[in-house]
Amino acid sequence: MADLRVNIGGMVMKNPVMTASGTFGYGEEFADFIDLSCLGGIIVKGTTLRHREGNPYPRMAETPSGMLNAVGLQNKGVDYFVKEIYPRIKEVDTNMLVNVSGSCIDDYAITAEKIAALEKIPAIELNISCPNVKEGGMAFGTSCKSAAAVVKAVRKVYTKTLIVKLSPNVTDITEIARSVEAEGADSVSLINTLLGMAIDSRTRRPILSTITGGLSGPCVKPIALRMVWQTCKAVKIPVIGLGGIMNATDAIEFLLAGATAIQIGTANFIDPQITTKVVDGINEYLDRNGCKSVSEIIGGLVV
Amino acid sequence: MADLRVNIGGMVMKNPVMTASGTFGYGEEFADFIDLSCLGGIIVKGTTLRHREGNPYPRMAETPSGMLNAVGLQNKGVDYFVKEIYPRIKEVDTNMLVNVSGSCIDDYAITAEKIAALEKIPAIELNISCPNVKEGGMAFGTSCKSAAAVVKAVRKVYTKTLIVKLSPNVTDITEIARSVEAEGADSVSLINTLLGMAIDSRTRRPILSTITGGLSGPCVKPIALRMVWQTCKAVKIPVIGLGGIMNATDAIEFLLAGATAIQIGTANFIDPQITTKVVDGINEYLDRNGCKSVSEIIGGLVV
Amino acid sequence: MKKYVLDLKVTANIKLNDNYVLLKFTTLNDEVLPEMLPGQFAEVRIDGSPNTFLRRPISVNYIDKSKNELWLLIQLVGVGTRKLSEKREGNTVNMVLPLGNTFSNPNPGEKILLIGGGVGTAPMLFLGQSLREKGFEPVFLLGARSSKDVLQVSDFQKNGEVLITTEDGSAGEKGYVTQHSVLIDRHFDRIYTCGPKPMMIAVAAYAKAKGIVCEASLENMMACGIGACLCCVEDTQEGHLCVCKEGPVFNIEKLKWQI
Amino acid sequence: MKKYVLDLKVTANIKLNDNYVLLKFTTLNDEVLPEMLPGQFAEVRIDGSPNTFLRRPISVNYIDKSKNELWLLIQLVGVGTRKLSEKREGNTVNMVLPLGNTFSNPNPGEKILLIGGGVGTAPMLFLGQSLREKGFEPVFLLGARSSKDVLQVSDFQKNGEVLITTEDGSAGEKGYVTQHSVLIDRHFDRIYTCGPKPMMIAVAAYAKAKGIVCEASLENMMACGIGACLCCVEDTQEGHLCVCKEGPVFNIEKLKWQI
Ligand SMILES: Cc1cc2nc3c(=O)[nH]c(=O)nc-3n(C[C@H](O)[C@H](O)[C@H](O)COP(=O)(O)OP(=O)(O)OC[C@H]3O[C@@H](n4cnc5c(N)ncnc54)[C@H](O)[C@@H]3O)c2cc1C
Ligand SMILES: Cc1cc2nc3c(=O)[nH]c(=O)nc-3n(C[C@H](O)[C@H](O)[C@H](O)COP(=O)(O)OP(=O)(O)OC[C@H]3O[C@@H](n4cnc5c(N)ncnc54)[C@H](O)[C@@H]3O)c2cc1C
Ligand SMILES: Cc1cc2nc3c(=O)[nH]c(=O)nc-3n(C[C@H](O)[C@H](O)[C@H](O)COP(=O)(O)O)c2cc1C
Ligand SMILES: Cc1cc2nc3c(=O)[nH]c(=O)nc-3n(C[C@H](O)[C@H](O)[C@H](O)COP(=O)(O)O)c2cc1C
Ligand code: FES
Ligand code: FES
């Protein structure tokens, strides 16, 4: 049994395995399948200042080795989260993180401030990369200037661990990573979904109500892995890697590329027990390779 | 039997089905499997001014529903093409196009000029999007300024149909498309490969000799389709769509999104007869839907 | 209700016609199957099918307690259901179950009509059996294209009266379920329905006009099946609700259908 | 040689041991199999395996002309080969074949040694048969981990003398093929080899030192198998050549191996 602990900007995790926002509900949905306390961290659904109904149905299309989604940040707003959901989940013995989204900078800051008050939430993940909302979302994550502006505003009101989730829909993700690092982000997580589209040739219509949506799943893994590797070389803060991780081998690839932790998203739909299997798999890999600690493989790619 | 003819900047094709550069050799490799004259066009391997040995082996990694390649434009140079290959392929009764690459603007222009002299080559495709070469290649395709500069230089010496192949590794592909349209490109083709990476967790090494490589195959189709749809709305010149087309249904999706023609790349490796099957499939679809001409479905997406 | 991820073993693969297969499953080690309720479904993993990335939601068709068997009725519509239909006796299939809510309990003495169309008849068998066990006398109204698509009639008959409509008139009355004479001739207190959306909307319109309590079981596209992804939502009076968790069964009053 | 895309039918699936399966195929309509040469291979499509996007290159192991059968010897290394090994009598498999070049013709009277290691013995059987038919008396030197991995010995024996090395000494001489006494005791004019790269390099070094003509069959990763993608290249004296088209058989003089 190797030492699996990792540290993300002051937040210590039992192991590097987290769940990706929007794919794991509030954790509760998976409590029948796994022991949630075995996870390094859980990132709950994207939360906004106000209640959002999200986009109309259909919101999902299956694609080769992946899926498109256009949920559009459906959630009941941060106040509802604080009042109704937080009390239900705060005793789970893992790091419970909130993924924060907004349609303007103030929204981000106010939402973050409200969550800062919650004792059992050690960190937030700023979602400046959601491709499924009309205003804000991805727009913030595709230019250095606006990304930096969001982080600057939130950093002022949020002193705990601040993770910024980056969009892969950019020419150079390392630039954006560096600009949020410069504003004091404690960590970056990547990738969010890639903007894609699906068409039904029979009806000649787009499958999603929003025409385009976010691509996730194993199909995006090669792109995610490349971006994580590039970003790890570009910044000093820890990088959290995600995108298409389906098993422990995939997770280990991200760690080797330099990620300090990883998130599992779409794979939860295929196997609701995948997260704990990945924890076990990483541990076995470390044992098999005579590693005492997971830190021995983080960034261990031989080039 | 519907009318399948399409026109790309003056070049008339029997049907909208072309082969993607680098995946179909010089056409000859497939002559045992299909009748090459049934294709709308064949785009031969990326050709450069000088002989290139390409990247070291390994150059390929299989990925979920796709593959990474890092061939790096191996070819014997344009003079060899003109002397040795052109005479062999010039009698094939289809549009034979050359995909032109370079490491500086002059290389592009000189190569294009040499190919302009070949009577049976009605068009070239400028590859400003190859992710697998150290200088040039993708770098030209990721900024409007450099993309425009290449096209401007080539346009001066090349009067036949000029297609520019765009890189998907950008924040906004429509900007690049507009900038090459402004310099007189007759058409844009997209997408080239997405930059990706693969790691062997056992050896802890990258699988490709070049660490990163270009992702292609059905995994990229949702991204390609989105970019084609966006670009068709942004420019007036015809768009050629490609990326992950595996069958006639996929091809029809690109046509509905607005592409005037399509290219088939990686699918040729899975089924060397796929191109002619797609021609037949498009025809059947048109018949089934009572369309007299393929033009009735181009851009026919109902939104 | 506790949900499980289970490998179940095929005990029978019965081809009902060119488009439908009935698969029967039991547990691997003779443990008792988890408790399941009518209307609930399983998210079935389809192995060996490169184009079937996500699990497929399939309703519980019947629970044969005496044999510890779960029945799934499969309509062959695409690659996933086709692959599933190829599973043979002894093959195992991975499922997440039981998922979703169930139909509400009728009041004692109510006259209940169960209307199923196409593969939407699947959950009606389990529901009918359960109602019968509770002492009700459900009437089944089954709609199909033609006589060969009317499935499991003898199973339905064990649990109540069976009425049939076919589009071509080759069995029962000709036409759609909502055109069946029973809807004019007899009175019902409650209707449960599952089938193609246009059919359910017509049934809902009828029920609403007559003031009959009506619940419909929806089949929205799903990714997770457990309320985690919010992909399967239906627009309701309470906003977007997950068909996989707050449904698949909804009282039609709650839906925003144009009826 | 003309290349074909063919569906071939499995006529036999013979499990040789835990890691090797011999598959025999024939045509669907009794047409004669295309002509194939030793060293050539097929690109085999693996259906029903989501993680096997590309075809898999597999050498022609043997052509049984009397039965119109193609043999493929499969080593189970990953998902693709495992899926392929599950094909049963009557199943069809799609192949592109025949691909690649062949071994050169020896000069009359030459003494020829065929060295195969692991699954690299596969093409050696077909090559040996072909040499035998041409009047040569090939000697086979087969290397394996242990006795149970020495495959198709009786088939080899029909075509010439068979020598064996195993790493654990459980059959033949103990050690690697390049340590076999025959390499010291006897003289050969020509060596053909196929197997793991380190083995082939050792064989090449031996041949070079002794001035023996030597050809090796390479197994680079392939995407297309027909010379179209340039993924499978080997660095040679003539630059990057495609193993699938200009190979898989190369004279070791042409390669840039450090020997
Ligand atoms: C709660 C519920 C219960 C169901 N019960 C049954 C049942 O008992 N028997 C049965 O045969 N079918 C049932 N279905 C429908 C079944 O899930 C689809 O027919 C199946 O997913 C199609 O998969 P495919 O790969 O064969 O077809 P595909 O080629 O993938 O799709 C064909 C069509 O099936 C539908 N579909 C595809 N994927 C999904 C998905 N993930 N969720 C919902 N619909 C989808 C779409 O309308 C699509 O156009 C149920 C669906 C739901 C939501
Ligand atoms: C010309 C040639 C002839 C061959 N002949 C035989 C034979 O007769 N019998 C036999 O069992 N095997 C043969 N092989 C090897 C066989 O192709 C690989 O073992 C097979 O592709 C592995 O597929 P997989 O899905 O089982 O394993 P994977 O899990 O995909 O890979 C396991 C390993 O197999 C190799 N491999 C994977 N994909 C390819 C590919 N596309 N091309 C080449 N190597 C690959 C890699 O080294 C990889 O690490 C031959 C290979 C070549 C190039
Ligand atoms: C259905 C769905 C909903 C998502 N919702 C959110 C969200 O609310 N906030 C967010 O930052 N990312 C969201 N994502 C993106 C994922 O967290 C993750 O970045 C992406 O799916 C890539 O990882 P994966 O391939 O492992 O799924 C969502 C993804 C999916 C599939
Ligand atoms: C092995 C390989 C080699 C390629 N070489 C070239 C090239 O020389 N020039 C070019 O413009 N694109 C090249 N491409 C990109 C393809 O032409 C195409 O843009 C890409 O593969 C996406 O299409 P697909 O998914 O249908 O393969 C190559 C792709 C592959 C897989
Ligand atoms: S399918 Fe994921 S919430 Fe319903
Ligand atoms: S595998 Fe494509 S050229 Fe050899």
Side-chain angles (χ1 to χ4, degrees):
Chain A
M1 179 79 208
D3 182 355
L4 293 179
R5 281 171 305 168
V6 295
N7 184 317
I8 300 284
M11 176 183 69
V12 176
M13 300 201 295
K14 288 173 204 174
N15 60 59
V17 179
M18 313 174 80
T19 63
S21 178
T23 66
F24 207 70
Y26 294 99
E28 305 165 311
E29 290 80 356
F30 290 81
D32 277 352
F33 306 115
I34 56 166
D35 177 354
L36 297 174
S37 73
C38 293
L39 301 177
I42 292 174
I43 307 185
V44 305
K45 254 232 72 67
T47 300
T48 51
L49 184 55
R50 274 171 291 272
H51 173 114
R52 284 181 62 98
E53 273 301 319
N55 294 316
Y57 179 84
R59 296 176 168 185
M60 190 271 282
E62 196 176 31
T63 68
S65 298
M67 62 177 280
L68 289 162
N69 90 80
V71 172
L73 295 174
Q74 175 175 339
N75 79 102
K76 298 208 162 128
V78 67
D79 292 336
Y80 183 90
F81 176 82
V82 170
K83 231 178 71 191
E84 302 290 334
I85 300 172
Y86 175 66
R88 278 195 335 242
I89 63 172
K90 72 180 171 33
E91 299 309 335
V92 180
D93 180 22
T94 183
N95 292 294
M96 277 284 179
L97 280 69
V98 179
N99 176 275
V100 171
S101 236
S103 25
C104 63
I105 291 183
D106 278 355
D107 282 10
Y108 276 103
I110 303 171
T111 311
E113 204 168 0
K114 292 188 184 223
I115 291 167
L118 305 177
E119 188 200 350
K120 295 286 177 68
I121 306 286
I124 57 172
E125 181 182 57
L126 279 194
N127 177 5
I128 56 166
S129 44
C130 180
N132 296 322
V133 290
K134 281 217 186 71
E135 323 99 4
M138 193 171 99
F140 287 113
T142 52
S143 97
C144 292
K145 225 178 103 190
S146 54
V150 177
V151 175
K152 188 173 192 167
V154 172
R155 185 74 288 181
K156 270 194 209 134
V157 297
Y158 193 82
T159 53
K160 295 194 244 180
T161 302
L162 177 59
I163 303 164
V164 181
K165 186 163 179 184
L166 306 181
S167 171
N169 301 291
V170 294
T171 307
D172 183 357
I173 200 165
T174 64
E175 272 183 11
I176 317 274
R178 272 193 301 256
S179 72
V180 304
E181 177 182 40
E183 294 298 341
D186 296 306
S187 170
V188 286
S189 58
L190 57 145
I191 57 173
N192 207 316
T193 53
L194 279 145
L195 196 61
M197 179 173 174
I199 292 175
D200 182 337
S201 68
R202 220 175 32 80
T203 62
R204 301 193 195 176
R205 289 175 189 279
I207 295 181
L208 301 173
S209 69
T210 47
I211 308 182
T212 59
L215 186 65
S216 65
C219 56
V220 308
K221 196 192 78 172
I223 302 168
L225 201 55
R226 181 263 298 180
M227 290 185 166
V228 165
W229 180 72
Q230 289 178 324
T231 305
C232 289
K233 290 191 303 177
V235 298
K236 295 201 182 58
I237 52 178
V239 171
I240 302 173
L242 74 152
I245 296 178
M246 296 300 283
N247 51 47
T249 307
D250 291 340
I252 290 160
E253 290 167 20
F254 278 85
L255 298 173
L256 288 168
T260 301
I262 59 98
Q263 296 178 19
I264 297 177
T266 307
N268 290 301
F269 309 157
I270 315 300
D271 180 357
Q273 298 172 323
I274 190 63
T275 42
T276 49
K277 287 181 190 166
V278 169
V279 175
D280 294 346
I282 293 174
N283 194 42
E284 278 160 32
Y285 177 91
L286 294 173
D287 284 354
R288 205 164 53 239
N289 287 277
C291 301
K292 296 261 170 304
S293 156
V294 68
S295 61
E296 292 176 43
I297 64 164
I298 291 170
L301 189 71
V302 185
V303 290
Chain B
M1 179 80 210
D3 182 355
L4 293 179
R5 281 171 307 170
V6 296
N7 184 318
I8 300 283
M11 176 183 67
V12 176
M13 300 200 294
K14 287 171 204 174
N15 61 60
V17 179
M18 312 173 82
T19 62
S21 179
T23 67
F24 206 70
Y26 293 100
E28 307 163 311
E29 292 79 356
F30 289 81
D32 278 352
F33 305 114
I34 56 166
D35 176 355
L36 297 175
S37 73
C38 293
L39 301 177
I42 292 175
I43 307 185
V44 306
K45 254 232 72 71
T47 301
T48 51
L49 183 56
R50 274 172 288 273
H51 173 115
R52 285 181 61 97
E53 273 302 318
N55 294 317
Y57 179 84
R59 295 177 169 185
M60 192 271 283
E62 197 177 31
T63 68
S65 297
M67 61 177 279
L68 289 163
N69 89 80
V71 171
L73 295 175
Q74 174 175 340
N75 80 101
K76 297 208 161 127
V78 66
D79 292 336
Y80 183 91
F81 175 81
V82 170
K83 231 177 71 191
E84 303 289 334
I85 301 172
Y86 176 66
R88 273 186 351 231
I89 63 173
K90 74 182 167 46
E91 298 310 335
V92 179
D93 181 20
T94 184
N95 292 295
M96 277 285 179
L97 280 69
V98 178
N99 176 274
V100 171
S101 238
S103 26
C104 64
I105 292 183
D106 278 355
D107 282 9
Y108 276 103
I110 303 171
T111 310
E113 203 168 2
K114 291 187 185 223
I115 292 166
L118 305 178
E119 191 200 348
K120 296 287 178 67
I121 307 287
I124 57 172
E125 182 181 58
L126 280 194
N127 177 4
I128 57 166
S129 43
C130 180
N132 295 323
V133 289
K134 280 219 187 69
E135 327 96 4
M138 191 171 99
F140 287 111
T142 53
S143 99
C144 292
K145 223 178 105 193
S146 54
V150 178
V151 176
K152 188 172 192 171
V154 172
R155 186 74 289 183
K156 269 194 209 135
V157 297
Y158 193 80
T159 53
K160 294 193 246 181
T161 303
L162 176 59
I163 303 165
V164 181
K165 186 164 181 182
L166 305 181
S167 171
N169 301 291
V170 294
T171 307
D172 184 357
I173 199 165
T174 66
E175 271 185 11
I176 317 274
R178 272 193 301 257
S179 71
V180 304
E181 178 181 40
E183 295 298 341
D186 295 306
S187 169
V188 285
S189 57
L190 56 144
I191 60 174
N192 208 316
T193 53
L194 280 144
L195 196 60
M197 179 172 173
I199 292 175
D200 182 336
S201 68
R202 216 176 33 79
T203 62
R204 300 192 196 178
R205 288 175 191 278
I207 295 180
L208 300 173
S209 68
T210 47
I211 307 182
T212 60
L215 185 65
S216 64
C219 55
V220 309
K221 195 192 77 172
I223 302 169
L225 201 55
R226 181 262 298 183
M227 291 187 167
V228 165
W229 181 73
Q230 289 178 325
T231 305
C232 289
K233 291 191 302 176
V235 297
K236 294 200 182 60
I237 50 178
V239 171
I240 302 173
L242 73 151
I245 296 178
M246 296 300 282
N247 51 47
T249 307
D250 293 339
I252 290 160
E253 291 167 19
F254 278 85
L255 297 173
L256 288 168
T260 301
I262 59 99
Q263 295 179 18
I264 298 178
T266 307
N268 291 300
F269 308 156
I270 315 301
D271 179 358
Q273 297 171 324
I274 190 65
T275 43
T276 51
K277 287 182 190 165
V278 169
V279 176
D280 294 346
I282 294 175
N283 195 42
E284 279 160 32
Y285 176 89
L286 294 172
D287 285 354
R288 203 163 55 238
N289 287 276
C291 301
K292 295 260 170 305
S293 157
V294 68
S295 61
E296 293 176 42
I297 64 164
I298 291 170
L301 190 70
V302 185
V303 288
Chain C
M1 276 170 79
K2 189 166 153 65
K3 303 188 263 303
Y4 300 83
V5 189
L6 281 183
D7 280 324
L8 295 181
K9 185 173 63 189
V10 177
T11 55
N13 174 322
I14 302 158
K15 187 176 163 165
L16 302 181
N17 65 33
D18 280 355
N19 299 314
Y20 286 92
V21 161
L22 178 66
L23 288 175
K24 300 186 178 180
F25 296 89
T26 193
T27 53
L28 291 187
N29 308 314
D30 298 325
E31 314 109 64
V32 178
L33 281 165
E35 200 200 331
M36 293 176 237
L37 300 172
Q40 290 192 308
F41 64 96
E43 275 276 29
V44 181
R45 205 178 66 205
I46 315 284
D47 295 320
S49 170
N51 296 313
T52 313
F53 175 65
L54 297 165
R55 288 173 182 263
R56 292 294 186 259
I58 304 289
S59 303
V60 177
N61 173 228
Y62 192 77
I63 299 287
D64 186 338
K65 285 217 173 115
S66 65
K67 293 193 175 154
N68 196 33
E69 275 181 346
L70 162 70
W71 296 12
L72 301 182
L73 178 70
I74 314 293
Q75 180 182 19
L76 280 51
V77 301
V79 186
T81 47
R82 246 167 264 276
K83 265 282 162 193
L84 185 57
S85 75
E86 288 165 13
K87 291 289 168 186
R88 296 279 162 266
E89 216 184 299
N91 291 168
T92 59
V93 175
N94 188 274
M95 303 189 199
V96 181
L97 84 190
L99 303 175
N101 66 357
T102 183
F103 295 90
S104 62
N105 270 324
N107 299 315
E110 281 187 344
K111 299 219 176 310
I112 307 162
L113 181 63
L114 276 60
I115 307 183
V119 77
T121 59
M124 292 298 141
L125 181 61
F126 187 25
L127 175 60
Q129 175 214 26
S130 148
L131 290 171
R132 184 71 173 205
E133 277 179 7
K134 290 182 184 145
F136 295 96
E137 289 179 18
V139 176
F140 299 98
L141 175 52
L142 310 177
R145 289 257 164 83
S146 79
S147 63
K148 67 168 180 24
D149 296 319
V150 189
L151 310 169
Q152 301 184 298
V153 175
S154 61
D155 294 312
F156 278 108
Q157 281 168 339
K158 283 180 203 143
N159 298 296
E161 184 185 356
V162 177
L163 307 169
I164 289 166
T165 63
T166 52
E167 289 176 34
D168 64 1
S170 56
E173 296 187 11
K174 182 173 169 148
Y176 296 116
V177 280
T178 40
Q179 299 170 319
H180 195 281
S181 56
V182 73
L183 297 182
I184 299 166
D185 299 346
R186 282 203 240 168
H187 165 77
F188 295 97
D189 301 300
R190 192 175 280 264
I191 296 178
Y192 297 118
T193 186
C194 185
K197 199 156 179 181
M199 182 203 93
M200 291 198 287
I201 290 176
V203 169
Y206 165 83
K208 188 160 187 180
K210 294 257 182 183
I212 303 172
V213 177
C214 179
E215 290 179 356
S217 181
L218 310 194
E219 296 204 346
N220 291 9
M221 300 273 285
M222 294 179 178
C224 74
I226 58 175
C229 74
L230 309 188
C231 284
C232 63
V233 291
E234 181 72 20
D235 201 14
T236 73
Q237 307 299 348
E238 300 166 18
H240 280 139
L241 295 184
C242 289
V243 169
C244 72
K245 199 177 166 189
E246 281 104 0
V249 182
F250 292 93
N251 189 303
I252 59 157
E253 297 292 337
K254 209 170 181 174
L255 300 172
K256 286 199 176 163
W257 291 354
Q258 309 284 325
I259 46 176
Chain D
M1 273 169 83
K2 190 167 153 63
K3 302 188 263 298
Y4 299 83
V5 189
L6 282 183
D7 280 324
L8 295 181
K9 186 173 61 189
V10 177
T11 54
N13 174 323
I14 302 156
K15 187 176 164 168
L16 301 181
N17 66 33
D18 281 355
N19 299 314
Y20 286 92
V21 161
L22 178 65
L23 288 174
K24 299 185 180 182
F25 296 88
T26 193
T27 53
L28 291 187
N29 308 313
D30 297 328
E31 315 112 62
V32 178
L33 281 166
E35 199 201 332
M36 293 176 236
L37 300 173
Q40 289 193 309
F41 63 96
E43 274 276 28
V44 181
R45 207 179 64 205
I46 315 284
D47 296 321
S49 170
N51 295 313
T52 312
F53 175 66
L54 298 165
R55 288 173 182 263
R56 294 294 188 259
I58 304 289
S59 304
V60 178
N61 174 227
Y62 193 75
I63 298 287
D64 187 338
K65 284 215 175 113
S66 64
K67 294 193 175 155
N68 195 35
E69 276 181 348
L70 162 69
W71 296 12
L72 300 182
L73 179 70
I74 315 292
Q75 180 181 20
L76 280 51
V77 300
V79 186
T81 46
R82 246 168 265 277
K83 266 282 163 195
L84 185 58
S85 75
E86 287 166 13
K87 292 289 169 187
R88 296 279 163 264
E89 216 182 302
N91 291 169
T92 59
V93 175
N94 187 275
M95 303 189 199
V96 182
L97 84 190
L99 303 175
N101 64 357
T102 183
F103 295 89
S104 62
N105 271 322
N107 300 314
E110 280 188 345
K111 299 219 176 310
I112 307 163
L113 180 63
L114 276 59
I115 306 184
V119 76
T121 59
M124 292 298 141
L125 181 60
F126 187 26
L127 175 61
Q129 175 214 25
S130 148
L131 290 171
R132 184 70 169 204
E133 276 177 8
K134 290 180 185 151
F136 295 97
E137 289 179 16
V139 175
F140 300 99
L141 173 53
L142 310 178
R145 291 257 165 83
S146 77
S147 63
K148 69 171 178 22
D149 297 319
V150 188
L151 309 169
Q152 302 183 297
V153 175
S154 62
D155 294 312
F156 278 108
Q157 280 167 339
K158 283 179 203 143
N159 297 295
E161 183 186 357
V162 177
L163 307 169
I164 289 166
T165 62
T166 52
E167 289 176 35
D168 64 1
S170 55
E173 294 186 13
K174 180 170 169 151
Y176 296 117
V177 280
T178 41
Q179 298 170 321
H180 195 280
S181 57
V182 73
L183 297 180
I184 300 165
D185 299 345
R186 281 202 243 168
H187 165 76
F188 294 98
D189 301 300
R190 191 173 281 264
I191 294 178
Y192 299 118
T193 184
C194 185
K197 198 155 178 181
M199 180 203 95
M200 290 198 287
I201 291 176
V203 169
Y206 166 84
K208 189 158 186 184
K210 293 258 184 182
I212 303 172
V213 177
C214 178
E215 290 179 356
S217 181
L218 309 194
E219 297 204 345
N220 290 11
M221 300 273 285
M222 293 180 181
C224 73
I226 58 174
C229 74
L230 309 188
C231 284
C232 63
V233 291
E234 180 73 20
D235 201 16
T236 74
Q237 306 301 344
E238 300 166 15
H240 280 139
L241 295 184
C242 288
V243 169
C244 71
K245 199 177 166 188
E246 280 107 358
V249 181
F250 292 93
N251 189 302
I252 60 157
E253 295 294 336
K254 209 170 180 175
L255 300 171
K256 285 201 177 161
W257 291 354
Q258 308 283 327
I259 47 178

